[in-house]
Amino acid sequence: MSQAEAVPRAPRPLWSLGLLRSEIGVTFRRWRTLALLAVLAGVPVLVGIAVKIETGDGGPEGGGGGAGGPAFLSQITHNGLFLVFTSLAVTLPFFLPMSVGVIAGDSLAGEAHGGTLRYLLVAPAGRTRLLLVKYATTLTFCLVGTLVVALSALVTGALLFPLGEVTLLSGTSVSFGEGLLRALAIAVAVALSLIGVAAVGLFVSALTTSGIAAMATTVGLLITVQILDTLPQLDALQPYLFPHYWLSFADLLRDPVYWDQMQKNIGLQAVYALVFGSAAWARFTTRDITA
C-alpha cells in the first residue's frame, strides 16, 4: 500500500450528518429508549386522572394545588392546558433527567461494553466528531422526551378538562393560542435545562466500559445533587448546582415574563456543558480503546 493510500481521508460533513442520523435512529429504536418515552408519556395521564378523580369525588376544586405543589396545579380543572405545565414540573426533578442520564450514560460505555466502539472509530469520524454525535443524540432525546410529556399532557388535559383562555400566574388572561405558544416555549426551556445532565452523563460514560455502571453513576449523581439542593445549610453552594434553576420556566407564565432566573439557568447549564463536555473530550481522545 502506498503512503498516499495509507493516509486516512478527512471526514466529510455529509458523512457526519449520516452518522448523526444513524445514531439517532439506533437510539430511538432501542426498547430501553421506547420504554423511557412510554413512562414519560404515562406521567401526565396519571396526574390528570388523579386530579380528575379528586375533584370528581367532591374534593377541592383546585385539585390539591396548595401544599407544596406547582403554583399552577390548582388551575388544571379550569383549563386542561395547565396539565402541560404541571406535568413538566412533576417530571423535571426526576423522571426527565433520569431518562437523560440513562441515555447519556450508555452512549459511550454501552458501545465499549458491546464491543462496537472500536469499529465506530475505524470509520473516518474521529473521536471528537463521534463524541459530538453522541452528545447531539442525547440532546435530541432531551427535546423529544420533553415534547412527549407536553403532548401527552395536552391530549390528556383536552380529554379530561375544559380548554379556553389561559389565566397566567400574574392574573392576566391570554388566548388559548398564546397559551399553546407559551407551552411550547416552556417545553423548549425544560429541554435546555437538561443539557448539563447530558454533559455529566457523557463524561461518566467516557470513564468506564460498563453501560450499567455509567447509567447508575449518572442517576446517583443526579439524586445526590438534588438532595444537596434542598439542604438549607448549603444555600451558598446551591446556585451553582445544575438543578437549582430548573423550575424557573414557570416565569414564562407571567406577564411580563421574568427572564432573570431563566437566563441564570441557561448560563449555568452552558457552563456544565462546557466543563463536563471538555472533560469527556479530554478523557475520550486519550483513552485506550480496546473494545
Side-chain angles (χ1 to χ4, degrees), residues 43-114:
V43 173
V45 177
L46 294 177
V47 173
I49 291 175
V51 173
K52 186 68 174 181
I53 291 176
E54 182 181 353
T55 57
D57 289 343
E61 187 179 356
F72 30 78
L73 180 60
S74 61
Q75 301 294 328
I76 294 179
T77 54
H78 302 295
N79 194 328
L81 186 59
F82 275 89
L83 184 59
V84 176
F85 313 138
T86 302
S87 298
L88 290 172
V90 168
T91 55
L92 183 55
F94 182 71
F95 290 103
L96 273 170
M98 180 204 69
S99 301
V100 172
V102 169
I103 299 298
D106 189 55
S107 58
L108 296 173
E111 298 280 8
H113 181 74

Side-chain angles (χ1 to χ4, degrees), residues 155-179:
V155 172
T156 304
L159 292 175
L160 297 180
F161 307 103
L163 299 175
E165 287 191 347
V166 179
T167 301
L168 303 178
L169 297 181
S170 55
T172 307
S173 294
V174 299
S175 66
F176 179 73
E178 182 176 339

